[in-house]
Amino acid sequence: MVENKVDILLVGSGIMSATLATLLNQLDPSLKIAMIERLDQVAHESTDGWNNAGTGHAGYCELNYTPLQTSGSMDISRALAINASFETSLQFWSFLTEQQRLPKPGEFINRTPHQSFVWGEADVAFLRKRHKKLSGHHLFADMQYSEDPHVISKWMPLVMQQRDASQPIAATRVEYGADVDFGTLTRHMISTLQRQPGFELLLGHTVKSLKQAKTGRWHVRALDHTTRRLKKFEAGFVFLGAGGGALPLLQKSGIPESKGYGGFPVSGQWLVCNNPEVVNQHDSKVYGKAALGAPPMSVPHLDMRIIAGKPTLLFGPYAGFTTKFQKKGSFFDLVASVKSNNLKPMMLAGLGNMDLTRYLIGEVFQSHKERVAALSKFYPQAHAKDWTLAAAGQRVQIIKTCGKKGGKLEFGTEIVAAKDGTLAALLGASPGASTSVQAMIEVIERCFTARIDSGDWQAKLEAMIPSYKHSLIDDAELAGTVRKRMLNTLGLN
Ligand SMILES: Cc1cc2nc3c(=O)[nH]c(=O)nc-3n(C[C@H](O)[C@H](O)[C@H](O)COP(=O)(O)OP(=O)(O)OC[C@H]3O[C@@H](n4cnc5c(N)ncnc54)[C@H](O)[C@@H]3O)c2cc1C
């Protein structure tokens, strides 16, 4: 017998499920929604404060979003798309703040200038070109550039202390960058949902199986950790927002769209500084260039973080390798995810990425001294005793079948949805939480086709996200109005 019949069943309580539930609850408050989480707390995997870097990715400081082409020209399309996508999140969080569905913004988002810093002739030329190209676009018009050590010392004092004066250097700065405590944000979204009549949160329940009935509805079984009993659920729509746990569940769903996908886990670590004398001297995020052969998510950065209201400094990430798909997952995760339909792409992606394998092995075996030496390139005066190592969250990079090569490793996020719109999953982890609102709107557009075009849902989406159905990249006037409002509401001015 089915114990719980719901309209929407969300697996996982990270930022993705919380965002989708909040959007759907706004669009139709009568929907019955269940959120099932295997841990005893909400948002304690990748979304939790220390498990990610909390960068509101907007393309201001991430140099890998503006690659140089072989022709020598610079492609800024990714930076523009990510900037517009983050602005969608900012609009939604502004709306929720105005509606008092989120607390005072300082509890989850803080103004933290986004800066890039490079040294050496070649990288200075790269940054100069990047600034010229980006600042010509209205979304990046406020980006400042300098090669002057006096100016840069004001922008990032720690980075400039005792730096070799003969070295050519350059930096860019956007004042209204953001540090986001995604864990706190998610916990607030979920506690607001818990006050709505149609919403139920089940903690300490692991989704074990899911099967589609002939009616098209999904039958889901979850193990209750307290009673050790399996509970049965029936849902019209299932979202697998299970982070690293999404791929195994997608495979269990058996939908044809799941075939050929695999995952490659990459773990992360930070150096964390709690010495207040050092912490007080750095109030921004400073991103550099990734080492040769390093994956894009390994770009080194020195960040001020505000987690649960407390400022600290973080440097990293240092990549690592484990076979777990989640921080609190199992060492068998990787092996269990290998199926006959993804074996070939997984093997070929592995063979095609030997650089990454070598890089990860090098990272895993670094000593504290070597890690501090990497930090010293950013902060020459760093003392090993001020910094301790902390484990970050797990990322599961997507491996998928591709035409000629047979298998490729991807570093982005992807939504995999069933053709009939009854199930969707989010795979991958980058740019991640920053673009959660855009990603969840895509889930709604692909899976709720019968309702999305109704006047009611369109009007509600426009009220929540004024730029909905418009392009912030093409419409400078709208971009200006939207940005002004949300910088004020979220206190990023
Ligand atoms: C090192 C690192 C740095 C990052 N830095 C940034 C950054 O600076 N900016 C940014 O925007 N993004 C960043 N990200 C990415 C961002 O953290 C993720 O994209 C985002 O948190 C993913 O949210 P989620 O809801 O999909 O997954 P999660 O937060 O992992 O939530 C998934 C939940 O599902 C639960 N679950 C799993 N399996 C089951 C099951 N079978 N049954 C029930 N529950 C289940 C888990 O316990 C978990 O709570 C970073 C990630 C990492 C790892």
Side-chain angles (χ1 to χ4, degrees):
M1 195 193 79
V2 173
E3 294 164 74
N4 293 287
K5 281 193 181 181
V6 292
D7 300 305
I8 314 284
L9 188 143
L10 306 149
V11 187
S13 67
I15 193 159
M16 297 298 170
S17 291
T19 303
L20 184 59
T22 305
L23 282 164
L24 287 170
N25 175 261
Q26 288 285 333
L27 291 171
D28 182 353
S30 74
L31 285 173
K32 212 172 161 206
I33 302 177
M35 178 181 277
I36 303 183
E37 167 58 53
R38 75 188 181 105
L39 301 178
D40 293 334
Q41 289 164 294
V42 160
H44 264 258
E45 271 289 337
S46 294
T47 299
D48 198 30
W50 278 111
N51 287 343
N52 59 73
T55 303
H57 286 302
Y60 296 139
C61 53
E62 306 85 346
L63 302 179
N64 56 314
Y65 294 171
T66 49
L68 274 182
Q69 310 293 88
T70 37
S71 64
S73 69
M74 187 172 276
D75 180 6
I76 62 165
S77 56
R78 186 145 189 256
L80 293 178
I82 289 174
N83 188 285
S85 187
F86 183 55
E87 299 258 334
T88 301
S89 295
L90 291 174
Q91 289 175 66
F92 185 52
W93 301 337
S94 299
F95 168 82
L96 295 177
T97 304
E98 284 162 354
Q99 299 290 311
Q100 294 176 346
R101 285 173 167 253
L102 281 178
K104 212 162 70 288
E107 286 189 28
F108 65 90
I109 190 164
N110 283 282
R111 177 183 182 274
T112 309
H114 279 199
Q115 315 192 106
S116 305
F117 177 75
V118 294
W119 57 88
E121 294 291 353
D123 288 346
V124 168
F126 171 87
L127 195 64
R128 199 182 298 128
K129 190 170 205 160
R130 183 179 197 267
H131 171 258
K132 188 161 183 244
K133 192 122 191 223
L134 281 179
S135 61
H137 192 279
H138 58 264
L139 287 175
F140 290 84
D142 296 327
M143 181 183 272
Q144 303 170 68
Y145 176 82
S146 182
E147 293 177 23
D148 181 345
H150 297 291
V151 174
I152 301 177
S153 291
K154 286 198 184 118
W155 288 355
M156 46 186 96
L158 283 188
V159 172
M160 292 301 289
Q161 276 170 22
Q162 303 292 317
R163 184 164 287 280
D164 175 3
S166 65
Q167 212 178 36
I169 52 168
T172 55
R173 177 175 169 100
V174 173
E175 294 285 349
Y176 45 71
D179 179 67
V180 190
D181 179 348
F182 292 112
T184 299
L185 169 65
T186 302
R187 285 186 273 279
H188 280 302
M189 278 199 275
I190 293 178
S191 67
T192 301
L193 282 164
Q194 285 181 282
R195 294 196 290 276
Q196 315 305 314
F199 180 85
E200 190 186 5
L201 169 70
L202 291 104
L203 294 173
H205 285 69
T206 300
V207 171
K208 292 284 181 188
S209 67
L210 56 162
K211 197 165 183 222
Q212 192 171 29
K214 287 208 174 79
T215 55
R217 288 175 68 82
W218 287 90
H219 288 221
V220 177
R221 283 168 191 246
L223 178 70
D224 179 338
H225 298 189
T226 311
T227 62
R228 306 305 300 167
R229 270 186 57 236
L230 276 175
K231 279 189 189 159
K232 294 178 190 162
F233 295 82
E234 192 192 303
F237 172 76
V238 174
F239 176 63
L240 305 177
L247 175 67
L249 290 173
L250 180 64
Q251 290 172 329
K252 283 182 183 166
S253 76
I255 61 167
E257 293 79 3
S258 69
K259 305 280 183 271
Y261 282 95
F264 181 77
V266 178
S267 59
Q269 291 172 314
W270 317 114
L271 282 181
V272 177
C273 176
N274 288 306
N275 177 349
E277 273 179 39
V278 179
V279 174
N280 289 340
Q281 294 178 66
H282 190 74
D283 66 354
S284 62
K285 285 178 182 270
V286 182
Y287 273 59
K289 267 197 123 180
L292 220 59
M297 73 282 191
S298 302
V299 172
H301 46 101
L302 177 64
D303 293 11
M304 185 189 67
R305 299 290 321 272
I306 299 186
I307 298 177
K310 186 177 175 247
T312 20
L313 290 193
L314 159 163
F315 180 77
Y318 299 92
F321 179 73
T322 140
T323 51
K324 288 182 183 182
F325 277 3
Q326 297 177 79
K327 202 169 169 179
K328 293 176 185 132
S330 154
F331 286 109
F332 297 108
D333 285 343
L334 179 59
V335 173
S337 74
V338 180
K339 309 281 171 204
S340 56
N341 65 58
N342 66 10
L343 179 63
K344 191 175 162 202
M346 284 183 78
M347 280 175 60
L348 291 172
L351 288 172
N353 286 278
M354 291 313 283
D355 274 3
L356 174 64
T357 314
R358 271 191 291 275
Y359 169 81
L360 291 178
I361 292 169
E363 288 276 294
V364 169
F365 291 106
Q366 275 192 89
S367 63
H368 188 60
K369 207 171 151 196
E370 285 168 317
R371 291 196 177 100
V372 175
L375 164 65
S376 307
K377 290 186 185 150
F378 266 76
Y379 167 28
Q381 296 285 81
H383 292 297
K385 65 172 174 38
D386 289 335
W387 298 80
T388 48
L389 198 64
Q394 277 296 103
R395 279 188 166 107
V396 180
Q397 310 301 151
I398 304 168
I399 293 178
K400 60 197 265 196
T401 316
C402 84
K404 283 183 197 155
K405 285 192 192 161
K408 68 173 175 179
L409 184 64
E410 294 201 338
F411 293 100
T413 41
E414 186 169 331
I415 290 157
V416 180
K419 199 171 157 201
D420 62 5
T422 58
L423 181 139
L426 184 115
L427 302 180
S430 194
S434 302
T435 55
S436 51
V437 179
Q438 185 73 53
M440 293 307 102
I441 288 176
E442 188 186 329
V443 168
I444 295 173
E445 286 175 341
R446 285 173 63 180
C447 298
F448 293 79
T449 43
R451 302 199 63 186
I452 186 80
D453 290 330
S454 70
D456 179 35
W457 280 34
Q458 288 287 311
K460 285 179 174 166
L461 278 164
E462 275 169 38
M464 291 187 276
I465 297 143
S467 72
Y468 181 66
K469 289 267 164 166
H470 300 274
S471 165
L472 291 176
I473 299 174
D474 297 334
D475 190 336
E477 199 182 325
L478 177 69
T481 321
V482 162
R483 185 171 280 174
K484 195 170 164 200
R485 174 179 163 206
M486 115 246 144
L487 289 181
N488 276 333
T489 309
L490 297 177
L492 298 175
N493 257 336

